Amino acid sequence: MIDSLYPDIPEHLAGAVLRIDLDAVATNYRTLCHRLGDVACGAVVKADAYGLGAERVGPVLARAGCQDFFVAHINEGVRLRRALATARIHVLSGLYSGAEDTFCEHNLLPVLGSLGEIALWKNYCSTAPLPCDLHVDTGMLRLGLPTDEFRKIVDNPDLLAGLNLQLVLSHLASADETASQQNPRQLAAFKQARAVIPAGQASFSNSSGIFLGPDYHFDIARPGIALYGVNPTPGKPNPMRATVTLNARIVQLRDGHAGDSVGYSGTHRLDKATRIATVAVGYADGVLRSLSNRSCGHIGEYRVPLIGRVSMDLITFDVSDVPDCLLYPGQWIEMIGPRHTVDDMANDAGTIGYEILTSLGRRYHRVYKESEDV
Ligand SMILES: *Cc1c(COP(=O)(O)O)cnc(C)c1O
């Protein structure tokens, strides 16, 4: 899908280059496996593997040993199935009437989340029970069996009879806040659910949940964001490896004078003579407009502040501190990299790394790094 959206042009003609390090994704997977010990590690690859490309990320994780993949929507599952012939693919948003054949045809597991969905699947599978999962809401009030419906199952376990239940799962609302009392409350509720639901395996932890400790691990974890290098332990050093870098080209350089203003609505006014570099990315590429006047890039070791509003296709930097020999049209400015991480950019924008990654533009020239031997 990504590859066909824009024709491939040579890297030296690209306005911006997004490098995606698939080796780092595999390393992150192994890091999480190591932390989990004997517990299995699945992978959440919804939203096109958080913007990195599910068709590229999926096979790399499968080779690293991953057997369980989670997507949000059925179309993501159908697409992933083409890249992964044998893995279990779980569709988190569940089942609705009319979708049964598609689940069956592509060998996808619906994550059932209500008595209505359970009835639909049982009815569809009346001759041969096809595998499925059950999501139990433990306090997020978003997806999964609501408490009153869970009680009905406790009172009448026959409601689940005839289901081929692979996983019982639930999702943590505050896993990234280690001190939140919501974590132990959800844990206690999930233990109750697990005792009642006759599923093969229990799955509870997302990325941050893995770092809450072994009590939270159960049989199989479901990390997403940590695989892609965003810090699952906010406030502590990032145990994961970065997976993306973004470099964008200077298209023009100009000199502004004291009193001039930069960009739409003149939100940045110059208080002295300033060298300005205009760079070929904008909010249409996922450089969020909320980064206006609040972010930075780097040219080599030189930090360059983003000044003025982010436009659709362009942004402007104050490059006054950069030596002239480094300033010319075609020069690269590092937007995401070791000096300014996805987490840093998220901080600048007042958002989370998830939103930065899933917003990454489709116009970027993408270069995937994948070693033969990994
Ligand atoms: C997105 C999602 C995950 C993965 O969460 P991360 O914080 O990215 O690790 C796990 N489980 C469910 C149900 C999800 O929706």
Side-chain angles (χ1 to χ4, degrees):
M1 206 192 278
I2 308 154
D3 300 326
S4 63
L5 201 50
Y6 292 99
D8 226 9
I9 50 161
E11 189 175 330
H12 71 272
L13 298 180
V17 175
L18 180 70
R19 286 178 205 284
I20 298 174
D21 185 346
L22 296 172
D23 297 347
V25 175
T27 300
N28 288 337
Y29 180 76
R30 292 196 193 92
T31 299
L32 296 175
C33 286
H34 184 72
R35 248 204 127 73
L36 287 164
D38 290 337
V39 169
C41 191
V44 180
V45 294
K46 61 194 180 190
D48 202 24
Y50 291 45
L52 274 67
E55 282 154 317
R56 301 298 304 261
V57 165
V60 165
L61 289 172
R63 279 199 292 283
C66 184
Q67 297 177 342
D68 285 275
F69 293 82
F70 297 84
V71 294
H73 300 303
I74 189 166
N75 58 351
E76 297 180 307
V78 170
R79 179 166 170 249
L80 187 65
R81 179 53 79 206
R82 289 190 222 129
L84 295 173
T86 57
R88 282 200 299 193
I89 300 176
H90 312 261
V91 179
L92 291 165
S93 60
L95 183 67
Y96 45 85
S97 179
E100 298 92 334
D101 281 336
T102 308
F103 277 96
C104 178
E105 187 184 332
H106 299 275
N107 188 17
L108 308 172
L109 288 80
V111 180
L112 308 175
S114 68
L115 290 177
E117 291 179 45
I118 290 171
L120 270 181
W121 195 242
K122 272 171 78 164
N123 187 40
Y124 181 72
C125 302
S126 51
T127 46
L130 296 165
C132 62
D133 306 318
L134 186 60
H135 187 152
V136 180
D137 183 13
T138 51
M140 190 165 175
L141 271 65
R142 190 183 68 167
L143 264 186
L145 213 60
T147 313
D148 56 326
E149 296 195 356
F150 176 70
R151 286 214 194 88
K152 285 185 184 152
I153 289 178
V154 175
D155 294 341
N156 181 9
D158 269 0
L159 287 168
L160 300 180
L163 283 183
N164 176 359
L165 267 184
Q166 302 284 304
L167 306 184
V168 56
L169 65 90
S170 193
H171 191 48
L172 286 157
S174 306
D176 57 335
E177 296 165 41
T178 48
S180 169
Q181 282 312 301
Q182 200 173 10
N183 294 323
R185 274 204 305 274
Q186 285 193 266
L187 178 62
F190 188 60
K191 283 181 174 162
Q192 275 187 357
R194 188 205 191 185
V196 173
I197 309 287
Q201 292 173 297
S203 177
F204 193 45
S205 279
N206 65 341
S207 298
S208 296
I210 293 172
F211 293 84
L212 291 176
D215 282 358
Y216 287 80
H217 292 173
F218 294 88
D219 302 312
I220 173 167
R222 303 187 311 274
I225 199 73
L227 296 170
Y228 312 115
V230 168
N231 191 355
T233 59
K236 292 197 203 150
N238 188 353
M240 314 316 298
R241 253 176 71 181
T243 62
V244 300
T245 63
L246 175 62
N247 289 278
R249 246 184 230 289
I250 297 178
V251 289
Q252 280 198 5
L253 286 150
R254 71 189 63 245
D255 293 301
H257 307 284
D260 290 349
S261 65
V262 182
Y264 281 120
S265 304
T267 60
H268 182 84
R269 189 165 286 272
L270 303 180
D271 57 8
K272 58 180 187 323
T274 302
R275 199 98 217 268
I276 298 165
T278 303
V279 166
V281 296
Y283 60 75
D285 303 293
V287 178
L288 304 178
R289 194 160 171 277
S290 50
L291 291 168
S292 298
N293 290 307
R294 293 186 56 179
S295 194
C296 71
H298 287 83
I299 299 177
E301 75 211 58
Y302 296 94
R303 180 182 185 280
V304 293
L306 194 162
I307 54 173
R309 285 255 166 91
V310 173
S311 318
M312 185 184 289
D313 317 297
L314 296 166
I315 51 177
T316 36
F317 289 96
D318 178 347
V319 293
S320 307
D321 291 343
V322 181
D324 276 348
C325 63
L326 294 177
L327 293 177
Y328 46 88
Q331 168 68 303
W332 296 103
I333 293 192
E334 183 185 292
M335 305 273 305
I336 297 174
R339 294 184 179 86
H340 192 247
T341 64
V342 171
D343 284 301
D344 293 333
M345 187 183 261
N347 228 15
D348 296 343
T351 184
I352 51 179
Y354 298 69
E355 194 179 18
I356 299 294
L357 286 184
T358 56
S359 302
L360 286 173
R362 299 312 194 212
R363 287 194 294 192
Y364 296 142
H365 179 77
R366 289 185 172 222
V367 179
Y368 284 93
K369 177 175 173 231
E370 184 180 7
S371 304
E372 297 291 323
D373 55 348
V374 187

